[in-house]
Amino acid sequence: MNILDKITRDKRIEVALRKNLIPVSQLEQSVLFERPTVSLANNLRQSKTGIIAEHKRRSPSKSVINNTLNVQDVAKGYEDAGVCGMSVLTDGKYFGGSLDDLLTARASCNLPLLRKEFIIDEYQLLEAKAYGADVILLIAAILTRDEIMAFSKFAKSLNLDVLLEVHNEEELHKSVMPSLDMLGVNNRNLKTFEVSLETSKSLSSLIPDDFVKVSESGISNVEAIKTLQPFGYQGFLIGENFMKTDNPGVNATQFIKNLEL
């Protein structure tokens, strides 16, 4: 059983518990449920830099990244830096995140927020909407084509953008459908945790131009982005690079300045 299998197994148990605790009707009554969402896909299309900056305390591959920063400061810092959107990890067991982090980020900035989560149930999309997300992540490796279709269509009915993440050609072929906004290529092999930008390069020509192309994982310098831009990538998810510093916002500001040079 690889790490993704373990996370997914635990997530099914967690979601079943959450559904018993908080009924759908309660989520739908949330103040944020009627909030107009902001499109990350549109932001990326109009941007020259395309940075999606992440709030992530820890990960299974790196253990603790940064446990000392508060979400409010990180969100404000990223917004001031001029990023296109912010990704917020909401998984507790493996990444140290929570839905409260999403709520705090929403109260702290006007950026499009991506709920970074292992989605296996429509209930989690209602949670995302109720806690202030604008975008949801679907991971092809843990979903069937029918699930991807059902979840992405449901997300669109909630006015949420959909980022679909793939790791290889097989996942990409089963996933392409009109209800997606962005196709993300994760450069990390989830079985070995090795990272290679070649994954993004090799899959780029297979992604139809209707979708915003996003490259994820292993992007730690400006050169990586400049290498990927000619392959049609408009979005770059940066997880650990900013979070492993004392001030992610300041580092994101400098990174974007260097990228614009």
Side-chain angles (χ1 to χ4, degrees):
M1 189 180 276
N2 65 33
I3 188 67
L4 199 55
D5 295 332
K6 286 180 187 167
I7 292 172
T8 309
R9 181 197 59 192
D10 290 342
K11 192 58 62 179
R12 292 190 191 283
I13 298 166
E14 178 195 318
V15 172
L17 288 169
R18 295 181 78 89
K19 284 167 95 166
N20 281 332
L21 283 172
I22 302 174
V24 166
S25 58
Q26 193 173 324
L27 292 174
E28 290 174 340
Q29 285 161 16
S30 151
V31 175
L32 291 170
F33 206 83
E34 298 305 320
R35 168 187 160 268
T37 50
V38 185
S39 173
L40 174 60
N42 287 348
N43 275 15
L44 293 176
R45 281 193 188 97
Q46 292 161 15
S47 170
K48 290 191 172 117
T49 53
I51 304 298
I52 307 162
E54 195 154 83
H55 179 270
K56 176 159 69 172
R57 292 187 180 85
R58 55 187 167 87
S59 74
S61 61
K62 287 282 171 69
S63 188
V64 174
I65 297 162
N66 198 326
N67 271 333
T68 59
L69 302 170
N70 71 61
V71 182
Q72 183 179 3
D73 291 343
V74 175
K76 282 182 173 168
Y78 283 157
E79 186 169 41
D80 290 345
V83 303
C84 288
M86 178 176 175
S87 166
V88 182
L89 258 301
T90 60
D91 174 78
K93 182 170 182 180
Y94 294 91
F95 291 87
S98 71
L99 277 164
D100 283 344
D101 289 340
L102 189 58
L103 210 53
T104 304
R106 179 74 291 145
S108 310
C109 72
N110 293 311
L111 292 167
L113 296 181
L114 165 68
R115 181 185 186 190
K116 187 92 173 281
E117 183 54 271
F118 300 84
I119 287 177
I120 43 87
D121 193 297
E122 283 189 356
Y123 180 83
Q124 292 163 287
L125 306 185
L126 293 167
E127 285 182 323
K129 181 78 171 168
Y131 281 80
D134 302 274
V135 194
I136 55 117
L137 174 74
L138 297 178
I139 301 172
I142 63 172
L143 300 170
T144 65
R145 180 174 174 83
D146 286 348
E147 286 173 325
I148 294 168
M149 188 172 287
F151 295 162
S152 56
K153 284 182 173 176
F154 188 54
K156 298 314 293 174
S157 76
L158 297 171
N159 291 320
L160 295 169
D161 267 10
V162 181
L163 169 63
L164 188 285
E165 175 181 299
V166 300
H167 298 85
N168 54 44
E169 193 173 331
E170 184 189 357
E171 289 175 9
L172 179 60
H173 286 314
K174 82 168 181 185
S175 306
V176 173
M177 57 188 72
S179 43
L180 309 175
D181 301 285
M182 295 162 281
L183 264 160
V185 177
N186 193 330
N187 300 305
R188 189 187 303 282
N189 182 319
L190 291 177
K191 290 175 182 161
T192 63
F193 283 120
E194 287 172 2
V195 175
S196 169
L197 295 184
E198 293 306 315
T199 311
S200 280
K201 291 179 188 176
S202 65
L203 293 181
S204 66
S205 62
L206 303 175
I207 301 172
D209 291 334
D210 324 19
F211 307 105
V212 177
K213 297 180 194 178
V214 178
S215 186
E216 310 169 18
S217 295
I219 299 166
S220 55
N221 54 47
V222 166
E223 288 66 38
I225 291 179
K226 290 191 170 172
T227 301
L228 291 170
Q229 282 173 330
F231 288 86
Y233 286 93
Q234 292 174 287
F236 306 92
L237 183 68
I238 299 184
E240 292 161 15
N241 201 49
F242 303 142
M243 280 302 293
K244 65 188 182 188
T245 67
D246 292 335
N247 194 322
V250 166
N251 278 273
T253 301
Q254 192 55 54
F255 190 95
I256 288 171
K257 273 184 187 162
N258 294 342
L259 190 52
E260 288 172 334
L261 290 176

